[in-house]
Amino acid sequence: MSHNTFGHLFRVTTWGESHGAALGCVVDGCPPGLKLDEAWVQTYLDARKPGTSRFVTQRKEPDAVKILSGVFEDDRTDGQVTTGTPISMMIENTDQRSKDYSEIRDRYRPGHADYPYDQKYGVRDYRGGGRSSARETAARVAAGAVARRVIGEDILIRGAVVQIGPHMIDREAWDWDETTKNPFWCPDEGAAQKWETFLDETRKAGSSSGAVVEVRASGVPAGWGAPVYGKLDGELAAAMMSINAAKGVEIGAGFGAAALSGEENADEMRMGNEGVRFLSNNNGGVAGGISTGQDVVVRVAIKPTSSILTVTRSVTRDGEEVDVRTKGRHDPCVGIRAVPVAEAMLACVLADAKLRHRGQMG
Amino acid sequence: MSHNTFGHLFRVTTWGESHGAALGCVVDGCPPGLKLDEAWVQTYLDARKPGTSRFVTQRKEPDAVKILSGVFEDDRTDGQVTTGTPISMMIENTDQRSKDYSEIRDRYRPGHADYPYDQKYGVRDYRGGGRSSARETAARVAAGAVARRVIGEDILIRGAVVQIGPHMIDREAWDWDETTKNPFWCPDEGAAQKWETFLDETRKAGSSSGAVVEVRASGVPAGWGAPVYGKLDGELAAAMMSINAAKGVEIGAGFGAAALSGEENADEMRMGNEGVRFLSNNNGGVAGGISTGQDVVVRVAIKPTSSILTVTRSVTRDGEEVDVRTKGRHDPCVGIRAVPVAEAMLACVLADAKLRHRGQMG
Amino acid sequence: MSHNTFGHLFRVTTWGESHGAALGCVVDGCPPGLKLDEAWVQTYLDARKPGTSRFVTQRKEPDAVKILSGVFEDDRTDGQVTTGTPISMMIENTDQRSKDYSEIRDRYRPGHADYPYDQKYGVRDYRGGGRSSARETAARVAAGAVARRVIGEDILIRGAVVQIGPHMIDREAWDWDETTKNPFWCPDEGAAQKWETFLDETRKAGSSSGAVVEVRASGVPAGWGAPVYGKLDGELAAAMMSINAAKGVEIGAGFGAAALSGEENADEMRMGNEGVRFLSNNNGGVAGGISTGQDVVVRVAIKPTSSILTVTRSVTRDGEEVDVRTKGRHDPCVGIRAVPVAEAMLACVLADAKLRHRGQMG
Amino acid sequence: MSHNTFGHLFRVTTWGESHGAALGCVVDGCPPGLKLDEAWVQTYLDARKPGTSRFVTQRKEPDAVKILSGVFEDDRTDGQVTTGTPISMMIENTDQRSKDYSEIRDRYRPGHADYPYDQKYGVRDYRGGGRSSARETAARVAAGAVARRVIGEDILIRGAVVQIGPHMIDREAWDWDETTKNPFWCPDEGAAQKWETFLDETRKAGSSSGAVVEVRASGVPAGWGAPVYGKLDGELAAAMMSINAAKGVEIGAGFGAAALSGEENADEMRMGNEGVRFLSNNNGGVAGGISTGQDVVVRVAIKPTSSILTVTRSVTRDGEEVDVRTKGRHDPCVGIRAVPVAEAMLACVLADAKLRHRGQMG
């Protein structure tokens, strides 16, 4: 992982600030001959789009993607396909209202990247959070759409929010179909109702709330990943922790495994009709850094945004003590918007793992 | 991160299997002129050494490190110093009793890497876990000793176990001095007593227990790390997840942040005598991927080892259903041995971040 | 070096095909606070622009660069400056005449990348050479303009053509000022006259000619680079060989050194007013992979383009034997256009070496 | 390429100084299941061994390799095979005569790395050249032996010296069998006789001579490599330029192509019994960065060593002007010893290209 690139063979480099002319990514290492056009990528960007409920910010960006390179179509190809050369995708920023940034440029918002950015770089594009804005995740989602072509349709990636604030879902009530019926990607109908009330209160109070996101990949064959520092779970951890506001990552039983005994935690094996069958999945589909053939299960903890109406104490660039209060639009729970991003990161890590596996086996 | 290498400018490549002739590492990118000799590295290896209490395996390895390259001494140097060339370190395996491996070579131990390794590679050195053995961590600890020279004495790295099985420490009772007085690296005297009883029972029952390890770095200046995919917390997540049996990583408030409100989670700032002073550290010393100057705080969840006396159900390489039971020595709680390893990984990530910061700022 | 990225800390990723919507690059790792705007980059692109004499192709591209990210300006900055985040630059392709590509799509032009591309990828954008077009070098030149900001004004980079076809310059007659007075970047007035006649004949005959380009960097301090696989000359070799049509690279005396004796080749040293003074520069400014403080001197051999009017024998995609003849515009000597590209690559390698040196020394 | 690592998927990290305890390498990324034992590697090391004629230094090192990890043998494997884990190989230095280094430690030998090393690192192991010694190439040759297993027996790698001093071979007289019949790897019997006289004189005069080495790989399939910065010839250039004393690299016609016309240089194609047949190989088996299926042909210019009996002018570490004269053993033509090294580098680059090709195509 380089600073603005992730992946090893399926490599994604993103660029762009919140209030610049555009943002985008270059996907290098995509194999040739895969179907890819703007409509396919747009589908995933639309799923990510903010402004779809009162629980996510009302910024109205069309987020229309342009594919600038790496694809080709003639009468010999099956529609537009990848060529094996770098795929450059761009999304223009259309919602750059001219604004007064005098406050934000000098006052460090607690919990934000303002202070460490200034400490490091001395100069920063403070408009809308600049490079640390969640806008950057649009580029990841576009890359994730390409990654899905690489891993193919046999691998199914899905995501859900499993906790908002202190309220967890009931795992017994899990129903994937529910995730598209509420504005929270919540797989538990009952929890979704509670969250609605909870987040309405949060929003009205000018406060915000943390969340836990869970993403799963089904259909991953056994054998992807590698031991030691190329572990599939290590790659997943780095990928998920790179999402804005992420503060924790776990695989399978995760932190819960700390409380288990060896017998409880061991994923026992029997023979099934199609080979080995596991009796549980505490390992979350990865053992010794290599996929086992079970579902890959990852959870990410997303902190509550610090952009709140409540006044918090801070300092200015010049060392003056001040009170800070975020006006205008903001998300009461940024974790909700993290679901399509975490799915995209999972897709990218798997695409990379698939290609690396090919390159490892000779 | 390559498969057996971690770090970008401070790069550590480890090699070796549990029952091979030796294991070791090559540390590339260490700056010149730093004091380094075998005694310094040995100190850290000795702290890691198993066989020091009844709670860790009784394998008696001296783990004597040899530095084979990258250091030099003459009458102009202040003792033996690094030269800027690769530092090769080797630890010979002396405890390779000839043994009957016929069971382990065919039976997949649940929760172990046996099955996915075979699925991937077709061939594996099954003796003692081969490459997936915790023996590999000796090489990391040696590399960590070099990393400490790179980051210097102003940065203090410490670690502790904060949970064993379901039993957490009382954070109010935290005392670093306690960590060296009990065999658990436990910072809470009361918890240590409870753990002793709990682990004795676990051991007698032939079972095992998970744990949570916490490591901290004090004195890290603001500005290390980088946004997006070079985040300091992303690097930490990958590094910690690469530790054997790790299933989760969190920074600062971590998963706990999901339950907090924006006000509770925001790390407010005031001016102190030496610049900015934070009123809390929920960010764990990292915001937007960049260090804030506060303590860097990382926790790792370690699952209970699946090497237990209790019989578990499994299958053989040839698809036969069998019962598996681990005989002989084993750790009731491998998390204890993870403390010096997690400290070493933290040191390595910081050494790399320091050098990368230099290389970023021009 | 990844497939479409070069550099380690100063990293350039290029994208785009000859006849796509646009082409560009992302420069990651540029330090913050450096002056950078479109005018600065455009200066270097204009120097590269084809269509300036009858010896280079008449394609009229304005090659107007847009900087899409990574720069910022407010009243606290000295004009527009870099922020340390990725700099995305784009050049739109305006000269995409709709054309009949039916010949080029099926016939492999000898000496071109057509055949191996098809063998590898199965699909390719054959219009104008696609990804293997010299259009790609515009992105390198843009990146090189950024690199010049990183290395600063104390390092002077210059380039020249020193051989066209069998006609070499007279090194005794070298005058840098001459390079801007003729259409060949030729530092020898006499040679320039001969080349004019030679290339006019070459052009009229529908043929083409090879060339040798020489680039030099003055002011590079001693100590950049590193031994073994991070050698400054190794980086230069890879960078120069990546230029279209390059078939050879040499440093200092280069292949000429093979014919020398040890005494003739040794760069003897004496003390000068400002430290060590070398009596010759057969090493080309690099010894043991590390800069010596002398001029860095690199030469690149550029083969004659295979796009010629003369008929050559070839085969089609379907294995039919055919005759191939390139109609329309073409360069009689592509080596001329390689000068600004080789300069840009030299600037990029030095920028990277500067940052890596910082990161190595701790 | 990192400083002491080369390759991307087939990665070789070397370590060790001339007069340290040992030197060696770690080969990461080797696929599993390939036959590999010490005898196989030793064969290649023996071919490299100095001390076999009066034209190479008389240092008597047995250069016995130990494989410390990454291989395994049981009754299910076909002898000892690779496991896919890192292969650590070590060669102990046995010829470390205690010597007086007081001269070499302070006096910079012209043409050597002494001065830039000191400028960069401030400290260096000056004994026998330290890290810049040709001893390091033993580790490359060992790695090359592993690489040959990866590329398999269908690819034949051979090398020769084609020029010593001003004396080139007659290419018409090329006979591979001759290369093993004279101490120069010379493929031309007549040239070998002339070189013998020439080098005897050079040696007696206490002088040294440069050389050009040519290596070839037959049987490389079309399609390996990649465009732009992952070009197969770019990788070869970097690899060859990393060899000690290398000052130039060329592919196919190389610098000679500069003097050719487009018609002369174009490698025309016809259909043969087994597909496309090229009528010439000026491209040296690589077009657009991708292999064409023809022989890959690379030449490296090796400068004359500066270790000569003749007195040369230099300076000391403290800025004093001195005369330098190398006593004791030295090679009159280090280029001869570069042949097995260049072959090894070619094998490594091809092994890497093969694995990368797998990883690119998905």
Side-chain angles (χ1 to χ4, degrees):
Chain A
M1 281 212 182
S2 176
H3 291 146
N4 293 283
T5 300
F6 69 91
H8 303 267
L9 295 189
F10 183 84
R11 296 166 61 80
V12 179
T13 300
T14 72
W15 55 269
E17 281 87 33
S18 176
H19 285 56
L23 58 85
C25 64
V26 181
V27 177
D28 195 9
C30 182
L34 304 174
K35 282 181 77 96
L36 187 75
D37 55 23
E38 289 171 356
W40 171 263
V41 180
Q42 196 63 47
T43 309
Y44 290 96
L45 280 168
D46 289 347
R48 171 198 170 276
K49 199 164 54 182
T52 51
S53 84
R54 69 184 180 278
F55 305 108
V56 291
T57 56
Q58 301 304 310
R59 179 164 171 162
K60 302 286 184 201
E61 296 274 359
D63 273 358
V65 71
K66 283 185 198 162
I67 302 182
L68 299 172
S69 66
V71 291
F72 186 65
E73 175 170 15
D74 72 4
D75 53 16
R76 281 197 302 235
T77 61
D78 178 19
Q80 189 171 270
V81 298
T82 59
T83 57
T85 63
I87 300 164
S88 175
M89 296 187 283
M90 182 172 71
I91 298 161
E92 288 178 67
N93 286 325
T94 54
D95 185 22
Q96 313 165 48
R97 327 175 203 175
S98 149
K99 231 174 89 172
D100 178 10
Y101 290 105
S102 52
E103 262 197 19
I104 207 176
R105 80 175 220 178
D106 291 319
R107 298 177 173 218
Y108 296 135
R109 294 165 300 163
H112 276 279
D114 305 348
Y115 173 72
Y117 265 59
D118 251 11
Q119 288 295 305
K120 185 179 190 78
Y121 297 114
V123 55
R124 72 191 158 93
D125 183 347
Y126 37 75
R127 299 167 304 163
R131 181 72 181 144
S132 68
S133 163
R135 283 287 296 151
E136 185 270 343
T137 60
R140 302 177 186 223
V141 170
V146 181
R148 283 168 202 260
R149 287 301 198 198
V150 176
I151 56 178
E153 292 177 11
D154 290 345
I155 294 182
L156 177 64
I157 289 177
R158 289 180 293 190
V161 175
V162 297
Q163 179 181 343
I164 286 185
H167 307 292
M168 299 181 193
I169 61 158
D170 173 6
R171 290 196 159 255
E172 299 298 316
W174 192 296
D175 176 0
W176 281 111
D177 290 341
E178 280 299 321
T179 57
T180 57
K181 295 184 186 157
N182 58 65
F184 313 110
W185 308 98
C186 181
D188 165 10
E189 193 185 352
Q193 287 167 9
K194 273 178 239 150
W195 292 355
E196 189 163 350
T197 313
F198 175 72
L199 282 186
D200 269 332
E201 285 164 10
T202 302
R203 193 167 51 88
K204 281 169 198 160
S207 182
S208 64
S209 174
V212 176
V213 168
E214 179 170 320
V215 286
R216 282 171 177 261
S218 308
V220 177
W224 289 6
V228 192
Y229 311 114
K231 284 181 176 167
L232 187 57
D233 31 3
E235 297 289 325
L236 287 167
M240 297 301 163
M241 201 64 106
S242 77
I243 297 174
N244 305 52
K247 298 307 287 184
V249 183
E250 57 182 16
I251 311 286
F255 277 87
L260 298 180
S261 70
E263 304 88 281
E264 291 164 335
N265 187 65
D267 294 325
E268 295 183 293
M269 289 178 266
R270 297 280 88 175
M271 293 307 297
N273 292 334
E274 297 171 14
V276 166
R277 185 169 55 87
F278 289 88
L279 307 185
S280 58
N281 189 14
N282 288 310
N283 264 329
V286 188
I290 300 174
S291 62
T292 61
Q294 296 179 277
D295 278 13
V296 173
V297 183
V298 189
R299 274 182 300 281
V300 196
I302 305 290
K303 71 176 183 182
T305 181
S306 312
S307 300
I308 48 179
L309 287 172
T310 316
V311 169
T312 50
R313 289 168 287 175
S314 189
V315 300
T316 67
R317 189 182 164 97
D318 300 322
E320 213 181 320
E321 299 196 336
V322 288
D323 285 344
V324 170
R325 189 170 168 274
T326 305
K327 294 162 213 157
R329 64 191 180 194
H330 79 275
D331 282 9
C333 179
V334 290
I336 298 168
R337 289 172 58 183
V339 173
V341 182
E343 288 176 354
M345 297 307 283
L346 178 52
C348 289
V349 169
L350 290 174
D352 193 41
K354 179 180 180 178
L355 299 182
R356 290 183 101 187
H357 181 66
R358 294 274 192 281
Q360 274 171 278
M361 302 311 291
Chain B
M1 282 215 182
S2 176
H3 291 147
N4 293 283
T5 300
F6 68 93
H8 303 267
L9 293 188
F10 184 85
R11 298 166 60 80
V12 179
T13 300
T14 71
W15 55 269
E17 283 86 33
S18 176
H19 285 57
L23 58 85
C25 64
V26 181
V27 178
D28 195 10
C30 181
L34 304 174
K35 281 180 77 97
L36 187 74
D37 55 23
E38 290 171 356
W40 172 262
V41 180
Q42 195 64 47
T43 308
Y44 290 95
L45 280 168
D46 290 348
R48 171 199 168 274
K49 197 165 56 182
T52 52
S53 84
R54 68 183 180 276
F55 304 109
V56 291
T57 55
Q58 302 304 309
R59 178 162 171 165
K60 301 288 186 200
E61 296 273 358
D63 273 359
V65 71
K66 282 184 198 162
I67 302 182
L68 299 171
S69 67
V71 290
F72 186 65
E73 176 169 15
D74 72 3
D75 53 15
R76 281 197 301 234
T77 62
D78 178 19
Q80 190 171 268
V81 298
T82 59
T83 57
T85 62
I87 301 164
S88 175
M89 295 186 282
M90 181 172 72
I91 297 161
E92 289 178 64
N93 284 326
T94 54
D95 186 20
Q96 310 166 47
R97 330 179 200 171
S98 148
K99 231 174 91 172
D100 178 12
Y101 290 105
S102 53
E103 262 197 21
I104 208 176
R105 80 175 220 178
D106 292 318
R107 298 175 174 219
Y108 296 135
R109 294 165 300 162
H112 277 278
D114 305 347
Y115 173 73
Y117 265 59
D118 251 11
Q119 289 294 305
K120 185 179 190 78
Y121 297 114
V123 55
R124 72 190 157 94
D125 183 347
Y126 38 74
R127 298 167 305 162
R131 181 71 180 145
S132 69
S133 164
R135 282 290 292 153
E136 185 270 344
T137 59
R140 303 177 185 222
V141 170
V146 180
R148 283 167 203 259
R149 288 301 198 196
V150 176
I151 56 179
E153 292 178 11
D154 290 345
I155 295 182
L156 176 65
I157 290 177
R158 287 179 294 190
V161 175
V162 297
Q163 180 183 341
I164 286 186
H167 307 292
M168 299 179 193
I169 60 156
D170 174 6
R171 288 193 162 258
E172 300 298 317
W174 192 297
D175 177 0
W176 281 111
D177 290 341
E178 280 299 320
T179 57
T180 56
K181 294 184 186 156
N182 58 65
F184 312 111
W185 308 98
C186 180
D188 165 11
E189 192 183 354
Q193 286 167 9
K194 273 179 238 150
W195 292 356
E196 187 163 349
T197 313
F198 175 72
L199 281 186
D200 269 332
E201 284 164 8
T202 302
R203 194 167 50 88
K204 280 169 197 159
S207 183
S208 64
S209 173
V212 176
V213 167
E214 179 171 321
V215 285
R216 283 170 176 260
S218 308
V220 177
W224 290 6
V228 193
Y229 312 115
K231 284 181 177 167
L232 187 58
D233 31 4
E235 297 289 325
L236 286 167
M240 296 300 165
M241 201 64 105
S242 77
I243 297 175
N244 306 52
K247 298 306 289 184
V249 183
E250 58 182 17
I251 310 288
F255 277 86
L260 298 180
S261 70
E263 305 89 279
E264 291 164 335
N265 187 65
D267 295 325
E268 296 183 294
M269 289 177 265
R270 296 281 89 175
M271 293 308 295
N273 292 334
E274 298 172 13
V276 166
R277 185 170 54 89
F278 289 89
L279 307 185
S280 57
N281 189 13
N282 288 310
N283 265 329
V286 188
I290 300 173
S291 62
T292 60
Q294 296 180 276
D295 277 12
V296 174
V297 183
V298 191
R299 273 181 300 282
V300 197
I302 305 290
K303 70 176 185 183
T305 181
S306 311
S307 301
I308 47 178
L309 286 173
T310 316
V311 169
T312 49
R313 289 170 288 175
S314 189
V315 299
T316 66
R317 190 182 162 98
D318 301 321
E320 213 180 320
E321 300 195 336
V322 287
D323 285 345
V324 170
R325 188 169 170 275
T326 305
K327 292 163 214 158
R329 63 193 180 190
H330 79 274
D331 280 9
C333 179
V334 290
I336 299 167
R337 290 171 59 182
V339 173
V341 181
E343 289 176 352
M345 297 307 284
L346 178 52
C348 288
V349 168
L350 291 174
D352 193 41
K354 180 181 180 180
L355 299 182
R356 290 183 101 186
H357 181 67
R358 294 275 192 280
Q360 275 171 275
M361 302 311 290
Chain C
M1 280 214 182
S2 177
H3 291 146
N4 293 283
T5 300
F6 68 93
H8 303 268
L9 294 189
F10 183 83
R11 297 166 62 79
V12 179
T13 300
T14 72
W15 55 268
E17 282 85 34
S18 176
H19 285 56
L23 58 84
C25 65
V26 182
V27 178
D28 195 10
C30 182
L34 304 174
K35 281 181 77 96
L36 187 75
D37 54 23
E38 290 170 356
W40 172 261
V41 180
Q42 195 64 48
T43 309
Y44 291 95
L45 280 168
D46 290 347
R48 169 199 170 276
K49 199 164 54 180
T52 52
S53 84
R54 68 183 181 278
F55 305 108
V56 291
T57 56
Q58 301 304 310
R59 179 165 171 160
K60 302 285 186 203
E61 296 274 358
D63 273 358
V65 71
K66 283 185 197 162
I67 301 182
L68 299 172
S69 66
V71 291
F72 185 66
E73 175 170 15
D74 72 4
D75 54 15
R76 281 197 302 235
T77 61
D78 177 20
Q80 190 171 270
V81 298
T82 59
T83 57
T85 63
I87 300 163
S88 176
M89 295 186 283
M90 183 172 70
I91 297 160
E92 288 178 67
N93 285 325
T94 55
D95 186 20
Q96 313 165 45
R97 328 174 202 174
S98 149
K99 232 175 89 171
D100 179 10
Y101 290 105
S102 53
E103 261 197 23
I104 206 177
R105 80 174 221 178
D106 292 319
R107 297 176 174 220
Y108 296 134
R109 295 166 300 162
H112 275 280
D114 304 349
Y115 172 73
Y117 264 60
D118 251 11
Q119 289 294 306
K120 184 179 190 78
Y121 297 114
V123 55
R124 71 192 158 93
D125 184 347
Y126 38 73
R127 300 167 304 161
R131 182 72 181 143
S132 67
S133 163
R135 282 288 296 150
E136 186 269 344
T137 60
R140 302 177 186 224
V141 170
V146 181
R148 284 166 202 260
R149 287 301 198 197
V150 176
I151 56 178
E153 293 177 11
D154 291 344
I155 294 181
L156 177 65
I157 289 177
R158 290 180 292 191
V161 175
V162 297
Q163 179 182 342
I164 285 186
H167 307 291
M168 299 182 193
I169 61 158
D170 173 6
R171 292 198 158 253
E172 299 299 315
W174 192 297
D175 176 0
W176 280 111
D177 290 340
E178 281 300 320
T179 57
T180 57
K181 295 184 186 157
N182 58 66
F184 314 110
W185 308 99
C186 181
D188 165 11
E189 194 184 353
Q193 287 166 9
K194 275 178 237 148
W195 293 356
E196 189 162 349
T197 314
F198 174 73
L199 281 186
D200 269 332
E201 285 164 8
T202 302
R203 195 166 49 87
K204 282 169 197 159
S207 183
S208 63
S209 174
V212 176
V213 168
E214 179 169 321
V215 286
R216 283 170 177 263
S218 308
V220 177
W224 290 5
V228 192
Y229 311 115
K231 285 181 176 167
L232 187 57
D233 31 5
E235 297 289 324
L236 286 167
M240 296 302 165
M241 200 64 105
S242 77
I243 297 174
N244 306 51
K247 298 307 288 184
V249 183
E250 57 182 16
I251 311 287
F255 277 87
L260 298 180
S261 70
E263 304 88 281
E264 291 163 335
N265 187 65
D267 295 324
E268 295 183 294
M269 289 178 265
R270 297 279 87 175
M271 292 308 297
N273 292 334
E274 296 172 15
V276 166
R277 185 172 55 88
F278 289 89
L279 306 186
S280 58
N281 189 13
N282 288 310
N283 264 329
V286 187
I290 301 173
S291 62
T292 61
Q294 295 179 276
D295 277 13
V296 174
V297 182
V298 190
R299 274 181 301 281
V300 197
I302 305 289
K303 69 176 185 182
T305 181
S306 312
S307 301
I308 47 179
L309 286 172
T310 317
V311 169
T312 48
R313 290 168 288 174
S314 189
V315 299
T316 67
R317 189 182 163 97
D318 301 321
E320 215 180 318
E321 299 195 338
V322 288
D323 285 344
V324 170
R325 189 169 169 275
T326 305
K327 294 162 213 157
R329 63 190 180 194
H330 79 275
D331 281 10
C333 179
V334 289
I336 299 167
R337 291 172 59 184
V339 173
V341 181
E343 288 176 353
M345 297 307 283
L346 178 53
C348 288
V349 168
L350 290 175
D352 193 41
K354 179 180 180 178
L355 299 181
R356 289 183 101 187
H357 180 66
R358 295 273 193 282
Q360 274 171 276
M361 302 312 290
Chain D
M1 281 216 182
S2 176
H3 291 147
N4 293 283
T5 300
F6 68 93
H8 304 266
L9 294 189
F10 183 85
R11 297 166 60 80
V12 178
T13 301
T14 71
W15 55 268
E17 282 86 34
S18 175
H19 285 56
L23 58 84
C25 65
V26 181
V27 178
D28 196 9
C30 181
L34 304 174
K35 281 181 78 95
L36 187 74
D37 55 23
E38 290 170 356
W40 172 262
V41 180
Q42 195 64 47
T43 308
Y44 291 95
L45 280 168
D46 289 347
R48 170 198 169 276
K49 198 164 55 181
T52 51
S53 84
R54 68 184 180 277
F55 304 107
V56 291
T57 55
Q58 302 304 311
R59 178 163 171 164
K60 302 286 186 202
E61 294 274 357
D63 273 358
V65 71
K66 283 185 196 162
I67 302 182
L68 299 172
S69 67
V71 290
F72 186 65
E73 176 170 13
D74 72 4
D75 53 15
R76 282 196 302 234
T77 61
D78 178 20
Q80 190 170 269
V81 298
T82 59
T83 57
T85 62
I87 300 164
S88 176
M89 295 186 283
M90 182 173 72
I91 297 161
E92 289 178 66
N93 285 325
T94 55
D95 186 21
Q96 310 165 49
R97 332 178 199 171
S98 149
K99 232 173 90 172
D100 179 11
Y101 290 104
S102 53
E103 261 197 22
I104 206 176
R105 80 175 220 178
D106 291 318
R107 297 176 173 218
Y108 296 135
R109 294 167 299 163
H112 276 280
D114 304 348
Y115 173 72
Y117 265 58
D118 251 11
Q119 289 294 305
K120 183 177 191 79
Y121 297 114
V123 56
R124 72 188 158 96
D125 183 347
Y126 37 74
R127 299 168 304 162
R131 182 70 180 146
S132 69
S133 163
R135 282 288 295 150
E136 186 270 342
T137 60
R140 303 179 186 222
V141 170
V146 180
R148 284 167 202 258
R149 287 302 199 195
V150 176
I151 56 179
E153 292 178 10
D154 291 345
I155 295 181
L156 177 64
I157 289 177
R158 288 179 293 190
V161 174
V162 296
Q163 179 182 343
I164 285 186
H167 307 293
M168 298 182 193
I169 59 158
D170 173 6
R171 288 196 162 258
E172 300 298 315
W174 192 296
D175 176 359
W176 280 111
D177 289 341
E178 280 300 319
T179 57
T180 57
K181 294 184 186 157
N182 57 65
F184 313 110
W185 308 100
C186 180
D188 165 10
E189 195 183 352
Q193 286 167 10
K194 274 178 238 147
W195 292 356
E196 188 162 350
T197 312
F198 174 73
L199 282 185
D200 268 333
E201 285 164 8
T202 302
R203 195 167 50 89
K204 280 170 198 159
S207 183
S208 64
S209 173
V212 176
V213 168
E214 178 170 322
V215 285
R216 284 171 175 260
S218 308
V220 177
W224 289 6
V228 193
Y229 312 115
K231 284 183 176 165
L232 187 57
D233 30 4
E235 297 289 325
L236 286 167
M240 295 302 165
M241 201 64 106
S242 77
I243 297 175
N244 304 55
K247 297 308 288 184
V249 184
E250 58 182 15
I251 311 288
F255 277 87
L260 299 180
S261 70
E263 305 87 282
E264 291 163 335
N265 187 65
D267 295 324
E268 296 183 293
M269 289 177 266
R270 296 279 87 176
M271 293 308 296
N273 293 334
E274 297 171 16
V276 166
R277 186 170 55 89
F278 289 89
L279 307 185
S280 59
N281 189 14
N282 288 310
N283 263 329
V286 188
I290 300 174
S291 62
T292 61
Q294 296 179 276
D295 277 11
V296 174
V297 183
V298 190
R299 273 181 301 282
V300 196
I302 305 290
K303 70 176 184 183
T305 181
S306 312
S307 300
I308 46 178
L309 287 173
T310 317
V311 169
T312 49
R313 288 169 290 175
S314 190
V315 299
T316 67
R317 189 182 164 98
D318 300 321
E320 213 181 319
E321 300 194 337
V322 287
D323 286 344
V324 170
R325 187 168 170 276
T326 305
K327 294 162 213 159
R329 63 193 180 191
H330 78 275
D331 281 9
C333 179
V334 290
I336 299 168
R337 289 172 59 182
V339 174
V341 182
E343 288 176 352
M345 297 308 283
L346 178 52
C348 289
V349 169
L350 290 175
D352 194 40
K354 179 180 181 179
L355 300 182
R356 290 182 101 186
H357 181 67
R358 295 272 192 282
Q360 274 170 276
M361 303 310 290

